[in-house]
Amino acid sequence: MQDNATEVTAAGIARLAGVGRAAVSNWRRRHADFPRPVGGTETSPSFALAEVESWLRKQGKLAEVPLRERVWQQLSGHPEGPVTALTHAGCALLLIHDRPPVWLDVSAGSDERLASMLPGALRDVLTPRFGRETAADVSGAGDVSGPGDASWAVNTSTAVNTSGTDHRSPDAPSPSAVNTPPSVNASVNTPPSVNTRAVLHAPTAPELLPSVPLLRGVAELAAELGARQTFEFLLGRHLDANPRQYTLTPADLAGLMADLVGPVRTVLDPACGTGALLRAAATRPEQRLFAQDSAPELAALTTLRLALHTWSTVRGATGDTLRADAYPQLHADAVLCHPPFNERNWGHDELAYDARWEYGFPARNESELAWVQHALARLKDGGAGVLLMPPAAASRRSGRRIRADLLRRGALRAVIALPVGAAPPYNIPLHLWVLRRPEKAPAQPEVLLVDVGRFAGEGRGGPDWRAVRETVLDAWQAFGRAGKFAERPGLARALPVIDLLDDDVDLAPARHLPPPTAADGAEQLTAVRERLGETLRLTADLTPPPADSARPARWPLTTIGELARGGALMLRTGGSGGHARVPVLTDHDVLSGLPPSGTLPESDEEAVLTEPGDVVVPVLGGGSVARVIDEATGGAVLGRNLVLLRPDPAALDPWFLAGFLRGTANHRQASSYASTATRLDVRRLQLPRLPLDEQRRYGERFRALDEFERALRHAGRLGEQLVRGMYDGLTDGTVAPD
């Protein structure tokens, strides 16, 4: 069923039709029958989705709106907002996941019948899934709480919680199967405390009625993808559409943090966000995961995500962790946390006498040290914690006394400097602090200092996570074993605590690690110099011959839009979703001539995969660039702000196509200009109508120019690496001046 009330923006129309925003603006100007706005603002109007779909189909610009796109547009245009729509969709998906026959029964018939029957069916699922465990249920492992605990329980094998977490167990069965919980042993109690409040309840019939068309679409999509994948797709789209509202922990970093604590039974994340850390730690169904987050809306979404993913027992809560700790009696095996940075309003005035400040009362500007001590307070003796920290927390003078006490008592075990780009904010090299609640004061405490900043990678592709992971885990495991730690110049060093207890107690690893050995530095620079020489010789060989003058050609021209309509090529636009762990070709990669370096959010959106012979064009930035996909890049996912052209080899030569698309005048006439950006309408780009043999003659010349350009770029990168290495070697003494 199509929802006539669902609205779609111009950006949504562009996504539906596979065109740029400029094309939608042209349609509005040129076609008198284009649907009129029904909402939004004058500068950002919205349109009725049903009318837009009908118009696109009548114009031959769309055969059928893809189911995924229709459901997403229904969700994003929901009258109560996308968060409410996501919550309703998640509840329905949980019912479909756990009790599909019940969903089939309540969804039969009219919309009014569905809205009236669904609340009762949801209560039958939510009560056992999100019922609160009693203290007797959870205290058997010696890791939780007494009467003051105000959390709600989540257990996807027995009972599940109502809070702000999002976890996934890799060995969970496929959500397409019927997953009725095998037992329900949680009692249904009223939450007893003000520390937290329930974040999820069964919506009422009036609340659900506007969502019924969306829920029917969601159910149809779940039949195709599965309930879990459907929710992942919708949530991933929502997170990607609102990047400034959420601070995400990248999956690679979350995995590294979970590996540093190792396999444990009880894990707490006191600032769980979207739940990436607890999902990385949830590897076995017998685990107990505890979560808290201050945002009720996010808590509800991550709870539903959790219920569709994990088979661990999870307890979650909503509330300000530092001011209103939901687990005051918890003693966990591990704490993982990506806390908010640089918060001044963290409770400094109210919490002056809090029992958690065992290592000293944090200054107003040291909110991160408050989170560190909260983590230690919730660990059992010998328990491990890993926190993501800003680098300033390792050196600010206001925190030196707390850092000194953490070192003396053996609570801070390691400081790991990450590469730039490891996590937001991406322009700062963040740190990991590895904690352990001391069972007794160590006789001669040491701290491990690791710096993996050298693995930052090029451009916006992010760090070399494989090298980061291997280096960090090798150093941590060697440090944890009995015996002495073998120093690794430039990378890792175990330092006696006494050597750090000066006036500053500066824990920045780069200030204490010895430089790489002179031999290693000289050998690396020699290798770079040899590669640069080879590349420069290749560049000289590839230099184009002198150009012959010729009269300006007067070819008959066609446009990309006409070629697409005639079937000579296929046009696709890049998106923001796709299958996890598939490399993504970004617009930066295309502009810089780099291999695919991007990553995708966790979503099951159908991705556009590149093939050898495709031509990829960036639509933002104003540069005249077009890239032909080769065998090495083929199979990558097409990223955002890119358009893919797949020519019919019987009609178009790809190198001819890419070469003529790079003409400066061609780009200028096909671009639209705003005050701060330039956007290219690829359909307006022109190229001459030439026989295929003539196209191939031009194509060979364009291919040679591309090889020359790539050699120049490679030489430039090697030259920068050599210059940087020489400066570093001369200034740190590893390279002699003569």
Side-chain angles (χ1 to χ4, degrees):
M1 172 182 175
Q2 177 64 54
D3 178 17
N4 293 325
T6 300
E7 298 178 11
V8 60
T9 64
I13 297 173
R15 186 186 289 271
L16 288 171
V19 298
R21 288 280 300 273
V24 178
S25 299
N26 287 337
W27 294 343
R28 292 185 63 194
R29 289 194 300 267
R30 293 165 52 192
H31 297 276
D33 61 340
F34 191 87
R36 300 297 179 188
V38 297
T41 65
E42 184 176 347
T43 56
S44 181
S46 58
F47 307 82
L49 177 60
E51 294 179 7
V52 168
E53 180 183 350
S54 175
W55 187 87
L56 290 173
R57 189 177 293 110
K58 184 174 67 175
Q59 295 290 326
K61 303 180 186 299
L62 181 69
E64 182 65 40
V65 177
L67 177 59
R68 297 180 187 216
E69 198 60 45
R70 177 183 296 141
V71 172
W72 167 248
Q73 296 298 342
Q74 288 176 323
L75 188 147
S76 61
H78 194 281
E80 299 300 323
V83 173
T84 297
L86 261 177
T87 305
H88 291 177
C91 290
L93 287 167
L94 188 60
L95 178 63
I96 294 169
H97 180 267
D98 283 3
R99 303 182 183 183
V102 176
W103 166 260
L104 292 175
D105 179 45
V106 301
S107 61
S110 67
D111 290 355
E112 290 74 14
R113 179 179 183 273
L114 173 57
S116 64
M117 294 186 65
L118 190 54
L122 290 178
R123 280 193 295 271
D124 290 343
V125 172
L126 297 180
T127 296
R129 280 285 204 155
F130 303 131
R132 181 179 180 272
E133 288 178 335
T134 64
D137 292 327
V138 295
S139 60
D143 39 295
V144 310
S145 65
D149 179 23
S151 61
W152 290 75
V154 180
N155 179 343
T156 50
S157 62
T158 58
V160 184
N161 116 333
T162 69
S163 167
T165 355
D166 146 46
H167 317 301
R168 175 176 52 199
S169 173
D171 49 4
S174 168
S176 60
V178 179
N179 293 315
T180 302
S183 64
V184 178
N185 59 15
S187 61
V188 182
N189 295 329
T190 302
S193 164
V194 296
N195 281 354
T196 182
R197 57 189 179 275
V199 296
L200 195 63
H201 66 278
T204 64
E207 291 172 337
L208 283 171
L209 188 58
S211 299
V212 168
L214 167 66
L215 301 185
R216 293 191 186 278
V218 163
E220 187 179 352
L221 190 57
E224 177 183 317
L225 303 178
R228 178 184 66 83
Q229 291 93 334
T230 298
F231 191 73
E232 276 301 310
F233 160 69
L234 295 173
L235 179 60
R237 271 283 190 93
H238 174 68
L239 295 176
D240 188 67
N242 301 275
R244 296 184 180 180
Q245 295 183 23
Y246 307 100
T247 300
L248 306 180
T249 306
D252 290 304
L253 177 59
L256 174 61
M257 294 172 68
D259 287 339
L260 284 168
V261 300
V264 290
R265 184 172 182 272
T266 308
V267 189
L268 165 70
D269 184 348
C272 62
T274 58
L277 294 175
L278 284 172
R279 284 183 11 246
T283 56
R284 304 189 311 277
E286 69 273 13
Q287 288 176 291
R288 296 191 173 209
L289 309 178
F290 294 79
Q292 184 168 352
D293 197 90
S294 59
E297 298 85 0
L298 183 58
L301 294 179
T302 51
T303 298
L304 288 165
R305 192 181 190 189
L306 166 69
L308 290 163
H309 277 276
T310 189
W311 295 94
S312 301
T313 300
V314 179
R315 304 188 71 189
T318 297
D320 185 327
T321 295
L322 295 181
R323 287 187 173 91
D325 181 16
Y327 310 108
Q329 307 300 321
L330 176 64
H331 299 293
D333 296 317
V335 174
L336 299 174
C337 185
H338 177 174
F341 296 160
N342 302 320
E343 282 198 335
R344 288 186 173 269
N345 185 26
W346 57 267
H348 178 272
D349 295 335
E350 307 101 291
L351 302 173
Y353 301 101
D354 197 287
R356 288 172 290 182
W357 315 142
E358 188 177 347
Y359 300 87
F361 181 42
R364 190 181 301 276
N365 65 332
E366 293 286 358
S367 61
E368 296 86 9
L369 294 182
W371 285 97
V372 165
Q373 294 192 77
H374 174 80
L376 286 165
R378 294 297 158 260
L379 285 172
K380 71 177 185 180
D381 289 347
V386 181
L387 275 75
L388 185 66
M389 301 283 282
S395 56
R396 280 190 297 241
R397 287 188 60 81
S398 55
R400 65 189 186 278
R401 293 185 179 179
I402 294 177
R403 293 195 298 270
D405 207 29
L406 290 169
L407 291 173
R408 287 191 196 98
R409 298 170 60 179
L412 180 56
R413 305 294 293 135
V415 177
I416 301 164
L418 297 169
V420 171
Y426 289 106
N427 61 330
I428 296 175
L430 301 175
H431 288 179
L432 291 179
W433 284 23
V434 183
L435 312 171
R436 192 173 302 280
R437 184 167 181 83
E439 299 178 74
K440 60 180 181 179
Q444 294 180 327
E446 290 189 342
V447 64
L448 176 68
L449 302 176
V450 181
D451 189 345
V452 288
R454 66 174 63 177
F455 304 122
E458 296 185 357
R460 296 186 299 183
D464 181 350
W465 278 110
R466 180 176 179 180
V468 169
R469 179 186 180 87
E470 290 177 354
T471 302
V472 170
L473 294 181
D474 286 350
W476 174 245
Q477 291 163 5
F479 177 68
R481 290 193 293 266
K484 294 184 177 181
F485 176 76
E487 186 176 283
R488 300 174 187 177
L491 283 176
R493 179 184 187 185
L495 202 63
V497 163
I498 191 65
D499 293 350
L500 295 169
L501 297 178
D502 54 17
D503 289 341
D504 296 321
V505 196
D506 191 333
L507 306 182
R511 296 198 172 104
H512 303 284
L513 292 178
T517 61
D520 290 344
E523 289 175 3
Q524 291 175 3
L525 290 175
T526 300
V528 172
R529 189 177 185 279
E530 291 176 354
R531 289 164 57 201
L532 176 60
E534 294 173 0
T535 305
L536 289 174
R537 287 190 290 273
L538 175 63
T539 305
D541 294 339
L542 294 174
T543 301
D548 295 330
S549 60
R551 291 183 178 181
R554 301 297 182 189
W555 296 300
L557 299 176
T558 186
T559 65
I560 294 297
E562 291 173 350
L563 291 170
R565 287 191 292 272
L569 58 80
M570 182 178 69
L571 186 148
R572 301 289 300 276
T573 58
S576 57
H579 302 291
R581 298 188 180 89
V582 177
V584 179
L585 186 69
T586 68
D587 55 343
H588 179 266
D589 299 332
V590 175
L591 292 168
S592 304
L594 296 172
S597 64
T599 57
L600 291 171
E602 293 186 12
S603 123
D604 288 286
E605 179 181 352
E606 184 177 357
V608 178
L609 299 180
T610 60
E611 296 179 1
D614 290 343
V615 176
V616 177
V617 183
V619 297
L620 294 180
S624 301
V625 177
R627 176 171 174 176
V628 178
I629 300 300
D630 56 17
E631 293 290 342
T633 307
V637 173
L638 191 70
R640 298 178 64 181
N641 302 319
L642 292 175
V643 170
L644 179 145
L645 306 175
R646 182 164 294 161
D648 180 353
L652 281 174
D653 179 81
W655 287 102
F656 163 81
L657 173 63
F660 273 95
L661 294 187
R662 292 192 60 172
T664 302
N666 201 3
H667 264 249
R668 188 181 296 121
Q669 64 83 28
S671 296
S672 57
Y673 303 92
S675 58
T676 59
T678 302
R679 187 173 187 91
L680 177 70
D681 184 354
V682 175
R683 290 178 177 269
R684 292 172 55 189
L685 286 170
Q686 299 174 336
L687 67 158
R689 296 180 182 272
L690 296 178
L692 192 56
D693 289 343
E694 187 71 3
Q695 291 181 32
R696 288 170 178 159
R697 193 165 71 90
Y698 274 96
E700 287 302 316
R701 189 65 180 270
F702 287 137
R703 185 198 294 265
L705 283 173
D706 180 77
E707 292 180 9
F708 175 61
E709 182 180 37
R710 284 190 284 117
L712 282 175
R713 284 175 169 165
H714 188 49
R717 287 193 287 266
L718 288 172
E720 290 176 0
Q721 187 178 347
L722 180 61
V723 170
R724 185 172 61 248
M726 288 296 297
Y727 270 110
D728 291 343
L730 288 167
T731 55
D732 63 25
T734 59
V735 174
D738 51 347

